Amino acid sequence: MKKTFNLLKKIILVCIAIVAVMIVAVFIYHQYRLNCESSLIQKKGTLIDFNGKKMNVYNEGKGKDTFVFMSGSGVAAPVYEMKGLYKKFSRSHKIAVVERAGYGYSDVFHDNRNIDTILEQTRQALIKSGNKPPYILLPHSISGLEAIYWAQKYPQEIKSIIALDIGLPNEYAKYKLGIGESLSIRGMNLFAKLGFQRLFPTITYDPEVIKQSFLSDKEKEIFKAISYKQAFNDDMKQELLQNKDNARKSLKLPIPKDTPILFLSAYTDQNEHSKGTIEKNMDYTAFAKKLNKAEVKKVKGKHSLYLYAPDEIYDLANNFIYGKSEL
């Protein structure tokens, strides 16, 4: 019995040693690749200083209105991933892509990701990069929370919102983050720090960006490099952990009834009639009824709608804001 126990203990120690060596090897390789890729990640936009930390805003195009693009959670390189959509707007409008803390060319701020902090950083970054309000916001997913809160606190700064399959404050507020999910979020953050995202590229970034042609071959390499560097960092982790509290702050304020909002709801053939999609559309419709001007439009495509229906989004946005199509 003692011999069996000693053998089992040795096997466990060997397994632990092998795992430890693998972790160290992955980490070293990750650091090596980061060093090699650093030459690719050059400045693209205007870096705004926040007490020694930098936040990036990319501007393009000219026009009376400024369309502000706000990425969803985990979209590590917004300037590249959202290019297929914002390029259509920059032909006749001014656009600004805000890369909040932890995203794209911005630094990881390691703050609490309180919604007031996030919003004030966005507002200051836009002003300091030469973009004056009022703005037309194009938030995707989690950024919908910031966009609505912005319209609630500073309605005079928001001309309209084109909501790209966003999450609503009431949805985030009622969602209970379990212990398992919380541990999963923290675990993904740890794995990213160790460099394990390099073993799972299709999880690290959306492969649809690589499949499409709106980026050059060099831009695709830069996109990958930024995605590996910024993958699920501390700011992205904290955003998710802070969601519920941020949503509750929004729910304490009046609905921004004077802000026109176009809700674009993503669907696919597989999920069009699912419970989640039906409930999402019901929530959009209920919110829209409380506004003086609002529409809900279903747009075919996955959650990253800007990758699947850029022409339709552009056309619907122009119709909603200006009453005409510019396609």
Side-chain angles (χ1 to χ4, degrees):
M1 186 70 179
K2 188 176 180 180
K3 288 183 178 180
T4 303
F5 177 76
N6 288 334
L7 178 61
L8 182 61
K9 187 167 71 172
K10 287 180 181 178
I11 291 173
I12 292 173
L13 289 173
V14 169
C15 289
I16 291 173
I18 292 172
V19 171
V21 169
M22 288 178 60
I23 291 173
V24 171
V26 170
F27 179 74
I28 292 173
Y29 177 70
H30 177 53
Q31 295 303 312
Y32 166 73
R33 291 301 304 160
L34 287 177
N35 184 59
C36 293
E37 294 161 353
S38 61
S39 61
L40 286 171
I41 307 175
Q42 301 298 320
K43 176 183 173 182
K44 188 178 176 70
T46 303
L47 292 173
I48 308 302
D49 183 77
F50 288 88
N51 298 317
K53 296 287 187 179
K54 306 291 184 181
M55 184 169 165
N56 189 56
V57 179
Y58 174 72
N59 298 318
E60 185 175 289
K62 295 180 180 180
K64 178 182 176 182
D65 291 320
T66 300
F67 289 73
V68 178
F69 290 76
M70 306 161 69
S71 69
S73 176
V75 178
V79 167
Y80 295 95
E81 181 157 332
M82 302 187 84
K83 183 180 178 180
L85 179 60
Y86 71 69
K87 269 292 185 184
K88 297 187 180 301
F89 284 87
S90 68
R91 293 181 305 192
S92 51
H93 305 288
K94 185 178 182 182
I95 68 95
V97 183
V98 177
E99 295 191 314
R100 60 187 179 276
Y103 288 75
Y105 290 94
S106 298
D107 292 333
V108 179
F109 279 32
H110 300 287
D111 58 23
N112 61 12
R113 295 288 82 196
N114 177 287
I115 194 167
D116 287 293
T117 300
I118 294 172
L119 177 56
E120 291 312 309
Q121 289 170 353
T122 298
R123 293 176 68 235
Q124 289 183 49
L126 282 169
I127 290 291
K128 291 178 180 179
S129 60
N131 298 288
K132 296 180 180 180
Y135 309 112
I136 297 170
L137 306 181
L138 285 91
H140 171 245
S141 194
I142 196 176
S143 288
L145 190 58
E146 181 186 358
I148 290 173
Y149 192 64
W150 195 344
Q152 289 173 306
K153 288 195 71 176
Y154 308 102
Q156 72 281 3
E157 294 184 2
I158 309 302
K159 181 175 180 177
S160 186
I161 298 175
I162 308 300
L164 307 176
D165 209 44
I166 66 168
L168 293 172
N170 67 298
E171 293 174 331
Y172 289 119
K174 70 184 180 183
Y175 185 78
K176 185 177 181 180
L177 187 67
I179 295 176
E181 286 177 290
S182 178
L183 290 174
S184 177
I185 289 170
R186 297 175 193 278
M188 287 190 295
N189 172 248
L190 176 60
F191 270 42
K193 287 179 178 179
L194 293 172
F196 277 85
Q197 65 270 30
R198 292 195 180 269
L199 305 182
F200 308 98
T202 57
I203 296 176
T204 306
Y205 55 81
D206 193 328
E208 188 67 24
V209 178
I210 305 301
K211 291 178 185 177
Q212 295 193 24
S213 59
F214 60 83
L215 295 180
S216 67
D217 290 341
K218 183 178 180 180
E219 286 176 325
K220 289 179 181 179
E221 292 306 309
I222 298 171
F223 167 74
K224 290 179 184 178
I226 294 175
S227 297
Y228 287 130
K229 178 175 181 280
Q230 296 285 44
F232 213 76
N233 56 51
D234 287 347
D235 289 350
M236 295 180 185
K237 175 196 74 174
Q238 191 60 28
E239 272 184 352
L240 295 181
L241 296 176
Q242 189 71 20
N243 256 347
K244 195 179 188 75
D245 289 340
N246 285 342
R248 285 173 174 171
K249 284 193 171 186
S250 179
L251 291 177
K252 290 178 180 178
L253 299 179
I255 292 286
K257 64 178 183 178
D258 293 324
T259 302
I261 302 181
L262 171 62
F263 294 95
L264 300 182
S265 177
Y267 75 92
T268 63
D269 291 334
Q270 291 73 33
N271 70 16
E272 183 177 6
H273 303 293
S274 69
K275 180 181 178 182
T277 301
I278 292 171
E279 288 181 351
K280 175 184 66 174
N281 291 330
M282 289 175 63
D283 286 341
Y284 285 166
T285 301
F287 198 102
K289 287 180 178 179
K290 299 174 183 178
L291 305 176
N292 292 332
K293 180 182 178 182
E295 293 180 17
V296 178
K297 297 287 186 180
K298 298 177 183 178
V299 179
K300 191 171 185 178
K302 294 182 181 179
H303 179 52
S304 299
L305 203 52
Y306 49 86
L307 292 175
Y308 298 90
D311 290 327
E312 188 174 359
I313 292 170
Y314 179 69
D315 199 21
L316 287 170
N318 276 293
N319 271 303
F320 181 73
I321 299 166
Y322 306 114
K324 61 181 180 179
S325 169
E326 295 194 5
L327 273 178

